[in-house]
Amino acid sequence: MLTFIINRMMTLAISLVVASLVIFTTIELIPGDPAAFMLGLNAEPETVAALRQELGLNGHPVERYWRWVTGMITGDFGRSYTYQVPVADLVMARLGVSLPLTVMALILTIAIALPVGMMAASKRNKPADWGVMGMTQLGIAIPNFWFAMILVLVFAIQLQWFSAGGFPGWDEGLGAGLKALVLPAIALALPQASILARVMRSAMIDVLAQDYIRTARAKGLSERQVLLRHGLRNALIPVVTILGLQFSFLIAGAIIIENVFFLPGLGRLVFQAITQRDLIVVESVVMLLVFSVIIVTFFVDLTYAWIDPRLRHSRLNKGVWS
Amino acid sequence: MPLLSVQNLSVSIGDNTLVDDISLTIDHGDVFGLAGASGSGKSMTALALMGLLPPQAICSGQALFNGHDLLQSSEKTMRSLRGRQISMIFQEPMTALNPLMTITDQVAEAITIHAGQDNNIHDDAPDDAHERAMALLDRVGVVGTTNHQHRYPHELSGGQRQRVMIAQAIALKPKLLIADEPTTALDVTTQAAILKLLAQLAEEDDMAMMLITHDLAVLAENTKQLAVMNAGQIKDHGATKTVFTSGEFAYTASLIKAAQFTPIKRPQKPRKREASPLLAVDQAVVTYPKSTRPAVDQVSFTITPQESLGLVGASGCGKSTLARAILGLEPLTSGGIAINGDPITTGQDIKSATRAMMQIVFQDPFGSFNPRHRVGRLITEPFHLMPQPPRDQNQAIAQALMDVGLRPDDQHKYIHEFSGGQRQRLAIARALMIKPNLIILDEAVSALDMAIKAQIIDLLAELREKHNLSYLFISHDLSVIKAITDRVMVMDQGQIIEQGDTETVMTSPQHPITQNLIRAIPRLP
């Protein structure tokens, strides 16, 4: 197990270095002057020169890359050009909205998808299964910003249970903060939960056809015990793979949903930064997102090993004849 | 009153009648045998008694067990009977255990789920289910006992896994154990050990057993009462001895005849051993990374043209690794292998002309064909090894299919449309396509029923004559080896421990391991 973790950590470190190099190269080394780009077409040469100085664009690329990476490690992400505050502060504040939103959507996705998928698998080819398959098809087909608007129309405008958008801040209390995130989290989770429920269903159907399920039934386990004790964990292996991939979709989806609900999150920050050509912010936020996706992948790998003992003590296994 | 009394049991799925009006009784503590070819309805009978038939199956009749009608009882009653009063073990030891649970947990589960019910357990048994599970694993002979709390199924061999299955099944001292082909997937020595264990447990716990298998010899040696099924019906039924020896039971007699197969014609030409060998294996060693002892250890032998060489040994002895090395799929650690004088290397280095001299037929013909391609395409796959594939592929396909006893039209079908025996014929057809010199048959007939096995062996003998083939025939089934090989090698722990003429080795084995192997073969009376 320890070798497995060390192995994965190495992969993680290498992925981070490669990702930072790619981001740095695309933003800083491609033709065109970032300072001129940020200031737009009508900028005075002196202003551009001053900004170049301020951004530290005059050094050698290797040195600048080093400064950027070491800066990030110590928490210094540079200063935002448009907001004139340290990017770190800006990102931290926005993270306070985006992180709870993503986590909430993730929890909703899992909480909806796993039971629904399991139920559909155990009632295969019966009305309940058809219902689930139909609903999830719809859930995947509906664009989530449109679904978000429907949610606003029904729950905010008609029923007035939630506010239509905006975020009161965590100072208003935990309840108020969470309440503002409910509709966005639902809108964000719907398509992902639909996909995951289908994955869960087919994984469970595969597992239920296995010999050890028949063994479990022969022991005298009830259908429910068979599903929960022997089915669920085995079916989770493909589900966790998809869930890991979905995390990045949730982050990307947040950019649109945060704009629909006027939430001051990372998504809106990066969206505004792009329109305002604030490359420092874009660079940092993208790196942060990449970092979080890589970390999630790391945890997905650990989860595999936790679920499947065969991976824990995996030796060189040469397939063909088992 | 008998323990189990089955009256007029029928099972059907759709228009298919799988079990057709059968009746049988099993007394307390009796060992009852249920025989028949695959698809004869044996397993369906067992599943019907367990109440584990697929949901679309319809069953009728009566099966009285201890006052319950197993066919009419509610799911709740059946659940309390399963694992407690009636247990079942299955054929596939490799897949019948949950891969994510430790073996101790799985055995303990069989105890805990029936907690609170009348559990048939002696008062002196330890209360803790885990301790009891470990004691059970001890009792069935799972080795490495002290340490197996944390062992998972993948760390155990097939025989050891089957012992875990048995431990689960007997945990609550059931009155009836249904064993469905419990040893079919195991080699002869392991089979003998497992059958001995089952008999001993049945004796000690006064447990009745229903032993289901297609292997008549196993039943002849282990059962008192016997029923032989065919096409869902019981053809012959009675005391085992009578059924086998009285000669009044026509269907059983025909099965026995099929079991004692000898190929129609063996090539009688005296073989010149001094002729230059087709395959020469010289001091071959294969060591897997991180493994302490070599999987193949200093193995040397030759196969001359048209010779059929057998390779036997318990599972895990290195047979398949050796076959992989010969095919160039496994790099040699040291030593050398050459076919027709051309050295065999691994990967891209091997010349396709060299590769075209060898073909392989696997045990599982279904798993080794792509189910989405038609037969015509499947069996012409080896053509890419030829510098110039034949112009008229249709002619070649038709010829190969006719060679193995199928029809030329069969090339338009998919693999699922064939029976197990036909699929194995297709695998042979695929191997024959490019006229190889050597065919390696890795347990090629082990999954087949007696009658079909005999047909395939006849076919192989015939093809060998016709196409001047050499065979390397890998099997744990000595009767098959006896029928088809000229010489035989016995492998153990990576080494060849004995080799010689098949006849000589079979009749006067020298090495103790060979002697054990031959002694373990079940025999018909």
Side-chain angles (χ1 to χ4, degrees):
Chain A
M1 185 70 189
L2 193 68
T3 352
F4 181 85
I5 295 178
I6 293 172
N7 246 320
R8 293 293 130 184
M9 301 263 274
M10 300 282 284
T11 319
L12 178 119
I14 294 168
S15 320
L16 279 178
V17 171
V18 171
S20 66
L21 275 171
V22 169
I23 293 169
F24 182 80
T25 328
T26 31
I27 291 192
E28 303 223 5
L29 291 188
I30 47 169
D33 183 350
F37 176 74
M38 283 165 77
L39 290 173
L41 291 173
N42 304 322
E44 300 290 326
E46 295 83 49
T47 334
V48 174
L51 182 63
R52 284 188 64 88
Q53 188 62 40
E54 192 191 327
L55 295 176
L57 290 179
N58 294 327
H60 187 270
V62 175
E63 186 204 324
R64 280 189 286 130
Y65 172 72
W66 183 249
R67 212 163 50 218
W68 179 55
V69 170
T70 47
M72 279 193 297
I73 291 169
T74 53
D76 174 15
F77 288 76
R79 276 179 84 81
S80 159
Y81 177 70
T82 37
Y83 294 89
Q84 289 299 331
V85 288
V87 174
D89 296 351
L90 209 56
V91 166
M92 283 317 281
R94 301 305 184 98
L95 216 49
V97 177
S98 287
L99 198 62
L101 175 63
T102 316
V103 170
M104 228 162 124
L106 201 63
I107 292 173
L108 265 176
T109 302
I110 297 170
I112 296 169
L114 299 200
V116 164
M118 251 163 81
M119 197 268 290
S122 70
K123 307 260 184 255
R124 193 184 177 190
N125 292 335
K126 291 190 183 145
D129 182 26
W130 302 332
V132 167
M133 292 308 278
M135 294 294 282
T136 51
Q137 188 65 64
L138 213 58
I140 294 169
I142 293 175
N144 61 3
F145 63 86
W146 183 80
F147 181 62
M149 292 192 285
I150 299 294
L151 284 178
V152 169
L153 274 176
V154 176
F155 293 100
I157 294 170
Q158 289 292 323
L159 298 171
Q160 310 231 329
W161 291 353
F162 300 96
S163 62
F167 187 71
W170 294 109
D171 304 335
E172 295 288 309
L174 193 65
L178 288 180
K179 199 176 166 192
L181 295 180
V182 169
L183 290 185
I186 293 175
L188 205 49
L190 176 83
Q192 306 305 333
S194 300
I195 294 169
L196 200 65
R198 286 173 158 248
V199 174
M200 182 72 202
R201 174 182 176 272
S202 66
M204 195 56 131
I205 286 172
D206 279 351
V207 167
L208 288 180
Q210 298 296 314
D211 291 331
Y212 53 81
I213 294 295
R214 187 183 54 187
T215 307
R217 290 191 180 126
K219 278 177 174 178
L221 270 74
S222 66
E223 270 317 290
R224 195 188 159 82
Q225 286 170 320
V226 167
L227 275 179
L228 292 177
R229 291 193 197 188
H230 294 270
L232 180 59
R233 199 158 156 203
N234 278 289
L236 274 183
I237 297 170
V239 169
V240 167
T241 312
I242 302 296
L243 193 62
L245 296 173
Q246 286 188 315
F247 183 79
S248 26
F249 281 99
L250 285 178
I251 291 178
I255 297 181
I256 296 166
I257 292 296
E258 282 172 6
N259 279 295
V260 173
F261 285 95
F262 290 100
L263 293 177
L266 274 186
R268 256 167 67 85
L269 177 68
V270 81
F271 183 71
Q272 286 163 351
I274 290 168
T275 51
Q276 290 157 358
R277 305 178 176 189
D278 193 342
L279 286 185
I280 308 286
V281 172
V282 173
E283 192 179 52
S284 304
V285 174
V286 169
M287 189 62 211
L288 191 77
L289 296 183
V290 168
F291 179 73
S292 56
V293 169
I294 290 175
I295 289 284
V296 166
T297 314
F298 172 70
F299 281 109
V300 165
D301 284 347
L302 287 193
T303 315
Y304 280 144
W306 172 71
I307 295 176
D308 194 341
R310 285 164 298 187
L311 284 177
R312 257 175 270 160
H313 352 105
S314 70
R315 286 209 211 115
L316 199 63
N317 198 348
K318 301 203 167 185
V320 198
W321 290 349
S322 73
Chain B
M1 202 180 115
L3 174 67
L4 174 70
S5 162
V6 177
Q7 299 296 327
N8 309 106
L9 169 66
S10 292
V11 179
S12 58
I13 294 181
D15 294 335
N16 249 340
T17 305
L18 302 168
V19 178
D20 188 3
D21 194 24
I22 67 164
S23 301
L24 54 90
T25 57
I26 301 179
D27 285 326
H28 287 270
D30 235 14
V31 180
F32 181 91
L34 190 58
S38 57
S40 62
K42 308 183 301 279
S43 295
M44 279 296 156
T45 306
L47 292 176
L49 297 178
M50 291 292 287
L52 291 176
L53 284 170
Q56 67 273 29
I58 298 164
C59 82
S60 65
Q62 193 186 44
L64 284 179
F65 172 87
N66 245 4
H68 301 279
D69 184 348
L70 298 176
L71 306 180
Q72 304 297 330
S73 296
S74 67
E75 174 61 21
K76 190 157 174 276
T77 317
M78 287 309 291
R79 230 160 48 215
S80 81
L81 290 176
R82 274 183 221 134
R84 193 170 65 92
Q85 301 265 4
I86 312 180
S87 287
M88 185 161 175
I89 53 178
F90 301 95
Q91 175 175 357
E92 307 81 5
M94 306 315 268
T95 51
L97 293 169
N98 185 341
L100 307 185
M101 254 170 112
T102 65
I103 55 171
T104 325
D105 280 349
Q106 296 192 50
V107 177
E109 186 185 42
I111 300 167
T112 50
I113 52 161
H114 291 293
Q117 299 184 51
D118 166 25
N119 274 342
N120 314 330
I121 295 293
H122 299 308
D123 294 335
D124 58 353
D127 287 336
D128 182 31
H130 265 88
E131 262 174 57
R132 247 164 56 195
M134 281 193 276
L136 279 161
L137 288 169
D138 260 347
R139 187 172 172 214
V140 298
V142 173
V143 289
T145 316
T146 46
N147 214 352
H148 58 214
Q149 281 106 311
H150 306 296
R151 287 211 289 170
Y152 289 93
H154 71 272
E155 299 171 79
L156 274 64
S157 67
Q160 291 285 307
R161 289 187 212 192
Q162 198 60 292
R163 285 173 195 269
V164 175
M165 278 296 294
I166 294 171
Q168 284 185 18
I170 61 152
L172 297 174
K173 298 192 189 295
K175 298 212 165 56
L176 174 66
L177 174 65
I178 301 176
D180 188 3
E181 302 273 9
T183 58
T184 306
L186 307 172
D187 60 69
V188 267
T189 16
T190 318
Q191 162 167 293
I194 295 285
L195 288 170
K196 195 171 155 225
L197 172 70
L198 285 173
Q200 181 201 336
L201 294 170
E203 172 84 38
E204 285 172 7
D205 291 358
D206 194 27
M207 171 177 76
M209 191 156 70
M210 184 181 208
L211 186 57
I212 302 176
T213 175
H214 68 276
D215 190 339
L216 291 173
V218 164
L219 295 174
E221 288 191 346
N222 292 283
T223 63
K224 291 199 180 66
Q225 293 286 318
L226 179 74
V228 186
M229 287 183 80
N230 183 36
Q233 296 175 328
I234 291 184
K235 292 288 179 192
D236 299 327
H237 187 186
T240 306
K241 222 175 199 154
T242 328
V243 171
F244 278 116
T245 52
S246 72
E248 291 162 27
F249 298 91
Y251 182 68
T252 312
S254 74
L255 284 183
I256 292 173
K257 198 146 170 273
Q260 289 160 337
F261 44 74
T262 36
I264 27 181
K265 49 184 178 234
R266 285 241 219 151
Q268 290 303 322
K269 296 176 249 170
R271 197 148 285 104
K272 281 174 279 174
R273 287 292 303 156
E274 66 272 21
S276 67
L278 173 68
L279 180 81
V281 177
D282 182 31
Q283 299 281 313
V285 177
V286 178
T287 310
Y288 285 116
K290 292 187 189 172
S291 147
T292 46
R293 90 184 157 73
V296 172
D297 194 3
Q298 303 274 341
V299 167
S300 301
F301 65 92
T302 58
I303 300 180
T304 50
Q306 272 203 62
E307 185 182 33
S308 171
L309 175 67
L311 177 59
V312 296
S315 44
C317 73
K319 302 188 297 273
S320 288
T321 309
L322 178 59
R324 289 174 56 84
I326 293 170
L327 288 165
L329 296 172
E330 197 70 66
L332 288 179
T333 315
S334 68
I337 299 176
I339 185 157
N340 238 356
D342 292 332
I344 290 169
T345 47
T346 49
Q348 296 297 314
D349 302 342
I350 190 165
K351 282 185 290 184
S352 46
T354 309
R355 226 191 278 242
M357 279 191 265
M358 305 176 283
Q359 285 292 303
I360 179 146
V361 177
F362 292 100
Q363 171 169 6
D364 175 11
F366 189 58
S368 47
F369 283 114
N370 186 334
R372 293 195 172 80
H373 292 168
R374 288 176 202 275
V375 161
R377 170 159 178 194
L378 289 173
I379 64 171
T380 46
E381 268 171 355
F383 275 156
H384 73 270
L385 292 173
M386 300 176 88
Q388 277 177 321
R391 202 69 54 72
D392 188 359
Q393 297 214 348
N394 261 330
Q395 175 60 32
I397 293 169
Q399 186 58 47
L401 288 174
M402 284 192 304
D403 268 353
V404 297
L406 296 170
R407 292 197 323 272
D409 302 352
D410 287 335
Q411 61 171 300
H412 304 298
K413 292 188 186 167
Y414 289 99
I415 196 72
H416 69 260
E417 297 174 63
F418 295 89
S419 71
Q422 288 175 324
R423 285 177 197 156
Q424 206 54 289
R425 285 172 191 267
L426 287 172
I428 295 168
R430 172 166 66 181
L432 283 175
M433 253 353 233
I434 52 168
K435 313 242 177 303
N437 305 72
L438 173 69
I439 297 184
I440 296 178
L441 298 125
D442 188 6
E443 302 281 6
V445 297
S446 302
L448 305 175
D449 286 325
M450 289 289 186
I452 295 163
K453 201 184 272 188
Q455 290 169 12
I456 297 284
I457 286 175
D458 281 347
L459 172 69
L460 286 170
E462 189 190 312
L463 292 172
R464 176 178 162 196
E465 274 294 78
K466 193 168 164 190
H467 298 290
N468 288 335
L469 294 168
S470 295
Y471 293 142
L472 175 60
F473 203 99
I474 302 172
S475 182
H476 64 255
D477 187 343
L478 291 170
S479 57
V480 172
I481 292 282
K482 202 168 158 184
I484 195 147
T485 64
D486 308 318
R487 278 195 310 132
V488 66
M489 304 191 294
V490 185
M491 203 169 177
D492 184 58
Q493 306 216 351
Q495 293 176 320
I496 304 292
I497 52 165
E498 182 161 357
Q499 58 175 315
D501 283 345
T502 307
E503 207 53 50
T504 323
V505 174
M506 291 291 176
T507 46
S508 56
Q510 300 302 311
H511 197 282
I513 289 174
T514 319
Q515 289 167 357
N516 266 335
L517 215 59
I518 289 170
R519 205 178 307 130
I521 310 173
R523 284 180 174 77
L524 286 163

